[in-house]
Amino acid sequence: MITVANVSLQFGSRKLFEDVNIKFTKGNCYGIIGANGAGKSTFLKILTGEIEPNKGEVIIPKNERVSVLEQNQEKYNDCTVIRTVLLGHKRLVEIMDEKEKLYALTEFTDEQGMRLADLEAEFMELNGWDAESEAQALLNSIGISEEYHYKLMSELDAKMKVKVLLAQAIFSNPDNLILDEPTNNLDVKTIKFLEEFILNFENTVIIVSHNRHFLNKVCTHICDLDYQKITLYVGNYDFWYESSQLALKQMKDQNKKAEQRAQELKEFIARFAANASKSKQATSRKKELERLTIEDIKPSSRKYPYIDFRFDARIGNDILKVENLTKKGLFENVSFTVSDKDKIAFFSDNSAVITALFNILAGEDTDYEGKFTFGKTIKFSYLPQNNNKYFENCDLNLVQWIGQFTKENDQTFLRSWLGRMLFSGEEAEKKAKVLSGGEKVRCMLAKMMLTSGNLLIMDEPTNHLDLESITALNNGMKKFQGNILFTTHDEEIVQTVANRIIRINKTKEYDKSTTYEEYCEEM
């Protein structure tokens, strides 16, 4: 258990949080959420002792071990893979190293002999004799085969290093597990392994993640960092999001009768209490939900862009037919036909494969073999992964920039489109060339909405976006009545939007009308 008592942190005049009081208890998984820059990762560093708060304290029982997912992939380059995993339990490795030094002596004193006896007793108490085999089994479970176990970390590629560092964090049943963006750069199978691990983990887990599907799967509680406070909600990310939206709706309608508001809350809680019954913490969480009052649910201060893709052109029977498409060095003889209502998620072990396919379909790459044909009624809108050509050396402000993609010159009209994407007032006067990555993607989404395509092609649309923008995009994609071809690392979008999945590596390997969960089970 970790107890946070009256913790405050301020950098200069900037206050991150004030008088935070919270207990992270055994058997629960806590997701830390907040706007970009709110201080989520900083809060984790306070929990681990890396940063000292200005006021207050973090209390961890002396006999409890805290394990943290290491962010620096190069830190253990001089260690073997097995030793890197074992270092997840530092005390165990310290004992092993000291034992090795003592046993290397040709003779030792009585004092050294007594020290060795003490080390052996502690080693046995920590289950040291099984530690290496446990580490090996863990590595095998996440796809690091035995041929790599005794290689140096420097010999592994980046994706394998991430897996080894994850194995290090969860090794030897820590009392408290702290994970900052644990699903980044993990493949589907490893993410599923981690989900199952956390669901069956009996101690405390604290997570920061932009992966909403992951948060929904594993979290028993959400800690919302807002208004320089941390508010604890029972339930997963969806519960927090929908409850904050309900509170916002009720706040805007101050004249709504208390009885009607209470009925809305009751129905809302009943729905989520039913969902909670699927988890091991079902009974206690259901009781917590039932004790909620209107005052417990607060609207979030965070703003969400308004994303709503609409089109005027009727969609005919012919949408898109791809025949024996080949891109040298990436894929060959890829064929598929897009049917009415298809929203297709594309997967590949090599992200360049899908980017190349989408660039060909969008007419941005003409170096290919084979052919593809759009139906006569089809108008596509494309969101490329690399949007630099739209912004580099662009001296236009955002009003002028968005005006390039419509015949409408009215300033109020153009500013209203920018306002949807959270560029209001002086923000709309910013130069396009100075935008951040997330701001550029929001501008590209505004462009897509303006062009009103009935077929959307999206290459990693969530890149650089914060959770609020990702949630708004997800909702917009779900509501869209046309066709979508997309690839994304956001599992929640794939699960809630896609009704068909195509996997392409050198050739098309998989093409089926299915859900993401069913696809994962088949892999």
Side-chain angles (χ1 to χ4, degrees):
M1 181 176 76
I2 297 177
T3 302
V4 178
N6 300 313
V7 163
S8 299
L9 183 68
Q10 187 168 334
F11 294 116
S13 60
R14 185 176 174 232
K15 189 179 293 182
L16 280 182
F17 23 82
E18 183 178 24
D19 293 327
V20 173
N21 290 280
I22 191 168
K23 284 186 178 181
F24 298 102
T25 58
K26 185 176 178 179
N28 290 316
C29 176
Y30 300 84
I32 312 290
I33 63 169
N36 282 359
K40 301 183 292 295
S41 293
T42 302
F43 183 69
L44 294 191
K45 290 177 181 178
I46 288 177
L47 296 182
T48 61
E50 189 176 337
I51 292 177
E52 285 289 327
N54 301 126
K55 191 181 86 173
E57 61 180 336
V58 175
I59 305 162
I60 302 172
K62 288 183 179 180
N63 60 337
E64 288 195 4
R65 185 162 63 92
V66 177
S67 186
V68 181
L69 177 60
E70 176 61 53
Q71 300 295 305
N72 180 3
Q73 293 183 14
E74 313 306 318
K75 183 174 180 178
Y76 299 97
N77 276 352
D78 294 334
C79 298
T80 64
V81 169
I82 279 289
R83 182 175 175 84
T84 300
V85 176
L86 292 173
L87 280 166
H89 197 320
K90 292 179 182 177
R91 179 56 189 154
L92 184 63
V93 175
E94 287 171 359
I95 293 169
M96 292 169 69
D97 289 348
E98 191 175 350
K99 278 175 56 184
E100 186 176 346
K101 287 179 182 178
L102 288 171
Y103 279 121
L105 299 173
T106 53
E107 58 182 53
F108 39 79
T109 64
D110 290 345
E111 185 179 348
Q112 289 171 327
M114 291 175 64
R115 176 61 179 162
L116 190 53
D118 290 340
L119 289 172
E120 287 290 10
E122 189 178 356
F123 187 67
M124 184 174 292
E125 187 178 328
L126 295 176
N127 201 31
W129 295 111
D130 296 326
E132 195 162 319
S133 59
E134 181 187 335
Q136 288 177 324
L138 190 52
L139 287 166
N140 290 333
S141 297
I142 58 174
I144 306 292
S145 58
E146 292 178 9
E147 62 183 294
Y148 295 101
H149 291 186
Y150 293 92
K151 287 189 175 183
L152 292 176
M153 286 286 283
S154 58
E155 299 177 62
L156 272 56
D157 64 30
K159 288 187 176 181
M160 292 181 77
K161 285 181 179 179
V162 169
K163 288 185 176 185
V164 175
L165 293 176
L166 177 63
Q168 180 193 77
I170 65 178
F171 171 69
S172 193
N173 196 38
D175 299 286
N176 302 281
L177 179 59
I178 297 178
L179 305 172
D180 193 354
E181 296 293 355
T183 65
N184 280 4
N185 299 313
L186 289 185
D187 56 64
V188 170
K189 288 184 178 178
T190 310
I191 291 173
K192 297 306 165 193
F193 168 84
L194 180 58
E195 287 175 354
E196 288 301 314
F197 176 87
I198 293 174
L199 287 171
N200 292 304
F201 190 63
E202 295 183 351
N203 294 329
T204 306
V205 187
I206 303 170
I207 297 170
V208 167
S209 177
H210 279 76
N211 187 332
R212 295 164 305 136
H213 188 76
F214 181 70
L215 292 177
N216 280 331
K217 199 87 171 181
V218 302
C219 287
T220 61
H221 296 76
I222 292 293
C223 302
D224 181 30
L225 209 171
D226 203 0
Y227 304 105
Q228 289 88 47
K229 304 286 184 182
I230 295 183
T231 305
L232 182 66
Y233 289 85
V234 61
N236 58 16
Y237 177 82
D238 276 352
F239 175 80
W240 169 82
Y241 172 72
E242 293 196 30
S243 63
S244 68
Q245 293 301 297
L246 174 63
L248 184 63
K249 171 177 172 285
Q250 294 183 340
M251 185 182 73
K252 288 178 177 177
D253 190 358
Q254 295 293 340
N255 296 323
K256 189 185 290 287
K257 292 180 180 178
E259 294 84 355
Q260 187 177 345
R261 293 174 64 203
Q263 182 60 30
E264 284 182 353
L265 181 65
K266 185 177 178 181
E267 292 171 359
F268 173 74
I269 289 171
R271 178 159 54 89
F272 272 90
N275 291 342
S277 65
K278 297 178 182 177
S279 80
K280 63 181 181 180
Q281 295 88 3
T283 304
S284 61
R285 285 165 63 195
K286 187 171 182 179
K287 287 179 180 177
E288 287 183 75
L289 282 168
E290 289 169 347
R291 285 197 297 269
L292 279 178
T293 66
I294 293 168
E295 290 72 25
D296 292 325
I297 296 181
K298 298 177 176 64
S300 171
S301 69
R302 299 197 283 284
K303 295 181 179 179
Y304 294 79
Y306 179 74
I307 299 177
D308 188 18
F309 302 105
R310 298 190 181 189
F311 57 90
D312 299 321
R314 181 184 65 85
I315 300 177
N317 294 326
D318 297 325
I319 297 167
L320 172 63
K321 188 173 184 179
V322 175
E323 300 176 84
N324 299 314
L325 208 59
T326 296
K327 176 67 178 176
K328 192 173 181 180
L330 289 174
F331 57 84
E332 57 186 30
N333 297 323
V334 170
S335 300
F336 59 89
T337 300
V338 179
S339 303
D340 184 36
K341 303 299 182 185
D342 271 351
K343 293 183 177 180
I344 307 174
F346 287 79
F347 287 93
S348 177
D349 295 338
N350 180 1
S351 61
V353 167
I354 309 303
T355 293
L357 172 65
F358 285 179
N359 280 339
I360 291 169
L361 297 179
E364 297 193 359
D365 184 355
T366 57
D367 182 20
Y368 63 89
E369 297 175 7
K371 67 177 184 176
F372 61 93
T373 309
F374 287 104
K376 292 181 180 180
T377 63
I378 297 304
K379 177 184 178 183
F380 70 80
S381 296
Y382 182 38
L383 181 70
Q385 185 172 168
N386 186 340
N387 56 37
N388 286 342
K389 73 174 186 178
Y390 293 92
F391 299 97
E392 278 183 342
N393 305 315
C394 181
D395 233 13
L396 303 176
N397 66 32
L398 293 190
V399 178
Q400 296 166 329
W401 186 89
I402 198 71
Q404 300 175 99
F405 310 109
T406 177
K407 295 177 182 178
E408 180 64 65
N409 294 318
D410 181 67
Q411 291 282 303
T412 303
F413 174 83
L414 297 176
R415 283 179 175 274
S416 71
W417 279 92
L418 291 170
R420 289 181 176 196
M421 305 309 291
L422 308 182
F423 298 106
S424 57
E426 292 183 0
E427 285 285 303
E429 302 291 337
K430 290 173 74 169
K431 296 285 188 181
K433 64 184 179 183
V434 303
L435 298 181
S436 68
E439 289 173 327
K440 288 176 182 177
V441 176
R442 281 191 274 132
C443 282
M444 293 297 292
L445 289 169
K447 170 185 173 293
M448 288 189 82
M449 288 189 286
L450 260 180
T451 52
S452 304
N454 52 20
L455 169 63
L456 307 181
I457 303 175
M458 298 177 150
D459 187 0
E460 293 292 352
T462 67
N463 279 5
H464 308 294
L465 293 182
D466 56 24
L467 261 176
E468 293 72 49
S469 297
I470 292 171
T471 301
L473 173 62
N474 195 169
N475 290 336
M477 292 173 72
K478 285 193 293 185
K479 288 189 295 184
F480 183 59
Q481 297 298 304
N483 295 95
I484 310 180
L485 312 181
F486 69 98
T487 186
T488 179
H489 284 86
D490 191 286
E491 295 179 284
E492 187 71 8
I493 287 182
V494 180
Q495 175 64 20
T496 58
V497 174
N499 54 25
R500 179 178 168 190
I501 291 177
I502 294 177
R503 186 176 70 242
I504 301 170
N505 283 308
K506 286 296 183 182
T507 60
K508 187 177 76 171
E509 299 176 345
Y510 183 98
D511 186 350
K512 188 175 179 180
S513 294
T514 187
T515 67
Y516 177 63
E517 292 287 357
E518 291 168 343
Y519 166 76
C520 291
E521 289 173 6
E522 293 183 44
M523 290 300 98

